[in-house]
Each structure stands twice: as structure tokens, then as C-alpha cells.
Amino acid sequence: MAKRLAILGSTGSIGTQALDVVLAHPDLFEVEILSAHSNATLVIEQAIKFRPNAVVITDEHKYEQVKSALSNLPIKVFCGQEALRDVVQWDTVDVVLGAILGFAGLHSILSAIDAGKVIALANKETLVVAGALVMAKAREKRAPIIPVDSEHSAIFQCLVGEQPQSIEKLILTASGGPFLGKKPNYLVNVKASHALQHPNWSMGNKITIDSSTLMNKGLEMIEAKWLFGMNDEQIDVVIHQQSVIHSMVQFTDGSIKAQMGLPDMKLPIQYALAYPQRIHNDFKRLDFKDFPKLSFETPDYKTFKNLALAINAMHKAGNAPCILNAANEVMVHAFLQNKVGFLEMSEMIEKVMDAVDYIAQPSLEDYEKTDHLARTKANEFLKKSQLSIY
Ligand code: NAD
Ligand code: MG
């Protein structure tokens, strides 16, 4: 029987690629739920094509538009965040793909876990912010969490057939982004349009900026810590510019396993949706002769301060990664509008980290408050710095 999917964030980079995977395997997958925030036009188009049981549009202003466009079809239309939390629990949903961006994805994932659904997780911020809570609930409800992030999918694939106690360390690879090797005197002037040009991966805007600052790798270290139950010291990062090794696991006998392939997010998406099956596709294959040299180097933590800040937050734990994430979401949004400089983003995130109270063992409510407070502080600092320019 085909797996029935709830695709949360269907209009995004991951969401649209997931629909490509569904289209290529109509015998294996069926779309039960589509959700989008505000791109009504695209979600309407997707609904007409994939005929889900329901569509959720979280931006309430777009509800009438979606509702009336789909009124002739047997498709239920809901709006708001609460509706999202409801539909993921439906009996007709087998797998929930979490492809919403940022903290906004947390509640729907927790709700799906509560109902014991299989979670294909792209939304890394969910684990960054509340990894302890999410993983504890997933264990309690026996909800499997299958990573979609390419590095974590690589590690997950390397771990098939292995015992957790045989893992010595995880080695996350990072392409280094468009500014690899650049120094502060160069970075001080870079603009969003420049940072959006990722050399190897085509992704949504936020994660593309995070890749250029290396914040993405920091978030992924925290994501890996929770997903695979590692100590901080067991997670390493190496810059590997070619992006054909998607990550590695080193075992207690010194053996290292890597998962490789050309960079294409459809592969980890397909793996997570089809798991535990591995299914065929006709994506372009990796030819080693096209990559006569694979390179590996240490990240420049001094220049790319966001990575150091994320590692710090990981060590601090508690609500520290939640503060980091909220401040970063605000800064990336501002950077995309050219309202803050590339290097300034790290300065401001550091200030927000100092300005919000630390909580060692936060509840869900504490995470919500922390997120809110950190965003308020981040916006205050932004305003102040803008005033001082003019
Ligand atoms: P995107 O910006 O392209 O899409 C985001 C999706 O989330 C859209 O469908 C949007 O409608 C929805 N959304 C945004 N804000 C929302 C809100 N407040 N409430 C409900 N829905 C909302 O982002 P993306 O690049 O597809 O990334 C999605 C997630 O997957 C992120 O957490 C990202 O880190 C992760 N991820 C992405 C990639 C990639 O290649 N794009 C790779 C690895 C991990
Ligand atoms: Mg990744």
C-alpha cells in the first residue's frame, strides 16, 4: 500500500522536491496533506495536481483565496497553526515530512510525534531548539525520526546494521559555502545577493545564508547530537569543498564509513520517505573521474564566528541553542533585506545570547518564551545599530 504523506511546507525548496519524488513513485506515495504559509498560488496548483485530502494555509489572510480556488474539489481547506497540529494526527497520515522553516515548525512536529507518526525531518531548527524534549517524546511515543538533512541522512545510512556503542565520532562535512577562504576585510562588504550563490546546493534562502556564514553547520552539529544521542566531543566538522561525501561515521575500531553521491536533496528526501526501503531513481550518478581530488580542511572558526557561537550554545545546552536560533532567524531575515552586515550578524547574535536569561532545563513554554524574548532583543539591537548609522 502507498504511504500517505503529510507534506508540511510543501511550497518550499524541500517541499517541492518532495513532491517531485512523489510524482516519480505514484505506486509508493500518496499526498494526504499539503501545508504552506503564504504562497497560496503554488499550494493551489499543487493541490489540483496531487489531490490531497486537506490543505492547510497557515497565513489566515490567504484562506479565502485557497478555499475558493479549491471549492469544486473534494479537498478540505483549513487555516492557522492549530489546524496544522490537528491534521498531522489524522489516522490517514502515515509519514509527516517536516519541511517548514525555523522555529515555526516545532509545534506541528511535536503534535505528529504525539500521535506516533513516522517523521521525515528536514526542519533542523526543531532539534536545535528543543532536541532533548523532541527526542524524549519520540522515544516515549515510539515515533521514528528519519533525517532528511543530507549530512544526517548520510550518517543514518552509515549506521544501518551498526550498534550505537560502536560509534566513536560523527564527521559532518561542510562545503564551506561561497566565501570559503575569505577573510573579514572581504566579508564586511558582502551582500545577500552574493551570499545566495551557493556553489553546490540549491536551497531555500535562509539555509543558503546559513551555509555562507557556517551557522548551518553549527545548527547541524546540534541536530546530530540529538538525533544520534552523541556527546558534544563526538561531533566533528570538516570542510570538504566538493560536497560528494555527505558525512561520515568513525567507529571504535578506527574504521570510517562515508555516504557519497552528487549533491541533490531529492536523494535524502526519497531515502527518508521510502525508509526502510531503498528505491530506484534516475538521478545523475557520481563519477569518481570527475573528482580527481577530494579536499579536507579545518573550518576557519575565527572568521566564521557563527560556527563558534553555535558550538558554544551546544556546550551550554538548556535554552542557549534556542536563543542562538531565534537571534539567527532574525539576523538572516534582516541580512536578506540588506539591513545588517554579514559580520554584524555574529556580533548581534552574541549580544542576544548574553541578553537573554539562561534556563538549564527548559519546558516547552520556556522555549516559547525564550524564542519570543530573543527575537525582541535581536530586533532591538538591529534598530539601535541602524539608528547609529544615520
Ligand atoms: P523554504 O523557505 O524554501 O520553505 C519553507 C516552507 O515552510 C514553505 O513551504 C513555507 O510556506 C513554510 N513556512 C514558512 N514559515 C512558516 C510558518 N510560520 N508557518 C508554517 N509554514 C511556514 O525552506 P527550505 O529551504 O525548504 O527549508 C525547510 C527546512 O528544511 C528548514 O528547516 C531547512 O533548514 C531544512 N533543510 C533544507 C534543505 C534544502 O536543501 N532546502 C536542506 C537541509 C535542510
Ligand atoms: Mg545539511
mmCIF file of all heavy atoms in Angstrom, residues 330-348:
data_model
loop_
_atom_site.group_PDB
_atom_site.id
_atom_site.type_symbol
_atom_site.label_atom_id
_atom_site.label_comp_id
_atom_site.label_asym_id
_atom_site.label_seq_id
_atom_site.Cartn_x
_atom_site.Cartn_y
_atom_site.Cartn_z
ATOM 1 N N VAL A 330 16.254 36.059 13.038
ATOM 2 C CA VAL A 330 16.018 37.499 12.862
ATOM 3 C C VAL A 330 17.134 38.122 12.011
ATOM 4 O O VAL A 330 16.880 38.903 11.095
ATOM 5 C CB VAL A 330 15.921 38.207 14.241
ATOM 6 C CG1 VAL A 330 15.882 39.728 14.081
ATOM 7 C CG2 VAL A 330 14.695 37.720 15.001
ATOM 8 N N MET A 331 18.379 37.747 12.296
ATOM 9 C CA MET A 331 19.516 38.343 11.571
ATOM 10 C C MET A 331 19.513 37.953 10.098
ATOM 11 O O MET A 331 19.784 38.772 9.230
ATOM 12 C CB MET A 331 20.850 37.917 12.207
ATOM 13 C CG MET A 331 21.106 38.544 13.557
ATOM 14 S SD MET A 331 20.852 40.321 13.537
ATOM 15 C CE MET A 331 20.223 40.574 15.174
ATOM 16 N N VAL A 332 19.208 36.699 9.827
ATOM 17 C CA VAL A 332 19.212 36.264 8.420
ATOM 18 C C VAL A 332 18.110 36.996 7.651
ATOM 19 O O VAL A 332 18.317 37.456 6.526
ATOM 20 C CB VAL A 332 19.043 34.725 8.309
ATOM 21 C CG1 VAL A 332 18.847 34.309 6.868
ATOM 22 C CG2 VAL A 332 20.258 34.026 8.899
ATOM 23 N N HIS A 333 16.973 37.142 8.282
ATOM 24 C CA HIS A 333 15.864 37.868 7.664
ATOM 25 C C HIS A 333 16.312 39.305 7.344
ATOM 26 O O HIS A 333 16.067 39.822 6.254
ATOM 27 C CB HIS A 333 14.678 37.854 8.632
ATOM 28 C CG HIS A 333 13.440 38.456 8.076
ATOM 29 N ND1 HIS A 333 12.685 37.821 7.124
ATOM 30 C CD2 HIS A 333 12.831 39.644 8.323
ATOM 31 C CE1 HIS A 333 11.653 38.592 6.809
ATOM 32 N NE2 HIS A 333 11.719 39.694 7.520
ATOM 33 N N ALA A 334 16.982 39.934 8.316
ATOM 34 C CA ALA A 334 17.445 41.318 8.120
ATOM 35 C C ALA A 334 18.538 41.382 7.048
ATOM 36 O O ALA A 334 18.561 42.291 6.210
ATOM 37 C CB ALA A 334 17.963 41.883 9.446
ATOM 38 N N PHE A 335 19.429 40.400 7.059
ATOM 39 C CA PHE A 335 20.519 40.385 6.065
ATOM 40 C C PHE A 335 19.957 40.248 4.651
ATOM 41 O O PHE A 335 20.437 40.893 3.706
ATOM 42 C CB PHE A 335 21.487 39.234 6.383
ATOM 43 C CG PHE A 335 22.634 39.138 5.411
ATOM 44 C CD1 PHE A 335 23.642 40.103 5.390
ATOM 45 C CD2 PHE A 335 22.713 38.084 4.506
ATOM 46 C CE1 PHE A 335 24.693 40.028 4.492
ATOM 47 C CE2 PHE A 335 23.764 37.997 3.595
ATOM 48 C CZ PHE A 335 24.757 38.972 3.590
ATOM 49 N N LEU A 336 18.915 39.424 4.510
ATOM 50 C CA LEU A 336 18.300 39.234 3.185
ATOM 51 C C LEU A 336 17.711 40.544 2.664
ATOM 52 O O LEU A 336 17.560 40.738 1.467
ATOM 53 C CB LEU A 336 17.209 38.155 3.257
ATOM 54 C CG LEU A 336 17.728 36.705 3.282
ATOM 55 C CD1 LEU A 336 16.625 35.737 3.687
ATOM 56 C CD2 LEU A 336 18.304 36.312 1.913
ATOM 57 N N GLN A 337 17.391 41.445 3.604
ATOM 58 C CA GLN A 337 16.867 42.752 3.186
ATOM 59 C C GLN A 337 17.949 43.838 3.248
ATOM 60 O O GLN A 337 17.631 45.030 3.251
ATOM 61 C CB GLN A 337 15.711 43.147 4.112
ATOM 62 C CG GLN A 337 14.572 42.151 4.051
ATOM 63 C CD GLN A 337 13.530 42.439 5.128
ATOM 64 O OE1 GLN A 337 13.861 42.714 6.280
ATOM 65 N NE2 GLN A 337 12.274 42.384 4.748
ATOM 66 N N ASN A 338 19.191 43.386 3.319
ATOM 67 C CA ASN A 338 20.336 44.299 3.411
ATOM 68 C C ASN A 338 20.228 45.279 4.578
ATOM 69 O O ASN A 338 20.637 46.435 4.485
ATOM 70 C CB ASN A 338 20.525 45.071 2.092
ATOM 71 C CG ASN A 338 20.954 44.134 0.978
ATOM 72 O OD1 ASN A 338 21.786 43.241 1.189
ATOM 73 N ND2 ASN A 338 20.385 44.306 -0.198
ATOM 74 N N LYS A 339 19.675 44.801 5.695
ATOM 75 C CA LYS A 339 19.528 45.676 6.863
ATOM 76 C C LYS A 339 20.584 45.414 7.923
ATOM 77 O O LYS A 339 20.583 46.052 8.976
ATOM 78 C CB LYS A 339 18.133 45.498 7.479
ATOM 79 C CG LYS A 339 17.049 46.122 6.621
ATOM 80 C CD LYS A 339 15.717 46.078 7.318
ATOM 81 C CE LYS A 339 14.672 46.820 6.518
ATOM 82 N NZ LYS A 339 13.317 46.399 6.870
ATOM 83 N N VAL A 340 21.435 44.436 7.687
ATOM 84 C CA VAL A 340 22.532 44.176 8.629
ATOM 85 C C VAL A 340 23.689 43.596 7.805
ATOM 86 O O VAL A 340 23.452 42.953 6.763
ATOM 87 C CB VAL A 340 22.061 43.198 9.741
ATOM 88 C CG1 VAL A 340 21.734 41.822 9.208
ATOM 89 C CG2 VAL A 340 23.088 43.079 10.866
ATOM 90 N N GLY A 341 24.908 43.874 8.270
ATOM 91 C CA GLY A 341 26.075 43.397 7.535
ATOM 92 C C GLY A 341 26.352 41.919 7.824
ATOM 93 O O GLY A 341 25.872 41.377 8.826
ATOM 94 N N PHE A 342 27.145 41.302 6.955
ATOM 95 C CA PHE A 342 27.453 39.880 7.078
ATOM 96 C C PHE A 342 28.127 39.567 8.417
ATOM 97 O O PHE A 342 27.717 38.673 9.147
ATOM 98 C CB PHE A 342 28.363 39.477 5.912
ATOM 99 C CG PHE A 342 28.632 38.004 5.813
ATOM 100 C CD1 PHE A 342 27.780 37.171 5.103
ATOM 101 C CD2 PHE A 342 29.759 37.441 6.430
ATOM 102 C CE1 PHE A 342 28.023 35.807 5.013
ATOM 103 C CE2 PHE A 342 30.005 36.076 6.340
ATOM 104 C CZ PHE A 342 29.145 35.265 5.635
ATOM 105 N N LEU A 343 29.140 40.341 8.768
ATOM 106 C CA LEU A 343 29.879 40.074 10.011
ATOM 107 C C LEU A 343 29.105 40.538 11.246
ATOM 108 O O LEU A 343 29.217 39.957 12.323
ATOM 109 C CB LEU A 343 31.253 40.756 9.981
ATOM 110 C CG LEU A 343 32.205 40.222 8.916
ATOM 111 C CD1 LEU A 343 33.476 41.064 8.894
ATOM 112 C CD2 LEU A 343 32.549 38.758 9.148
ATOM 113 N N GLU A 344 28.304 41.588 11.027
ATOM 114 C CA GLU A 344 27.489 42.111 12.126
ATOM 115 C C GLU A 344 26.518 41.065 12.657
ATOM 116 O O GLU A 344 26.146 41.096 13.836
ATOM 117 C CB GLU A 344 26.657 43.282 11.605
ATOM 118 C CG GLU A 344 27.102 44.645 12.019
ATOM 119 C CD GLU A 344 26.132 45.664 11.425
ATOM 120 O OE1 GLU A 344 25.838 45.584 10.211
ATOM 121 O OE2 GLU A 344 25.657 46.503 12.176
ATOM 122 N N MET A 345 26.089 40.152 11.781
ATOM 123 C CA MET A 345 25.140 39.118 12.223
ATOM 124 C C MET A 345 25.688 38.382 13.441
ATOM 125 O O MET A 345 24.987 38.198 14.427
ATOM 126 C CB MET A 345 24.850 38.120 11.093
ATOM 127 C CG MET A 345 23.908 38.663 10.046
ATOM 128 S SD MET A 345 23.305 37.361 8.944
ATOM 129 C CE MET A 345 24.632 37.267 7.758
ATOM 130 N N SER A 346 26.959 37.978 13.392
ATOM 131 C CA SER A 346 27.551 37.249 14.520
ATOM 132 C C SER A 346 27.622 38.113 15.773
ATOM 133 O O SER A 346 27.343 37.656 16.875
ATOM 134 C CB SER A 346 28.970 36.775 14.197
ATOM 135 O OG SER A 346 28.998 36.111 12.976
ATOM 136 N N GLU A 347 28.009 39.394 15.561
ATOM 137 C CA GLU A 347 28.111 40.305 16.724
ATOM 138 C C GLU A 347 26.777 40.389 17.447
ATOM 139 O O GLU A 347 26.706 40.344 18.676
ATOM 140 C CB GLU A 347 28.477 41.734 16.265
ATOM 141 C CG GLU A 347 29.916 41.911 15.875
ATOM 142 C CD GLU A 347 30.113 43.250 15.161
ATOM 143 O OE1 GLU A 347 29.391 44.233 15.471
ATOM 144 O OE2 GLU A 347 30.983 43.304 14.268
ATOM 145 N N MET A 348 25.720 40.528 16.656
ATOM 146 C CA MET A 348 24.381 40.724 17.256
ATOM 147 C C MET A 348 23.901 39.428 17.901
ATOM 148 O O MET A 348 23.267 39.471 18.963
ATOM 149 C CB MET A 348 23.388 41.140 16.184
ATOM 150 C CG MET A 348 23.811 42.406 15.520
ATOM 151 S SD MET A 348 22.626 43.679 15.850
ATOM 152 C CE MET A 348 23.251 44.922 14.775
#
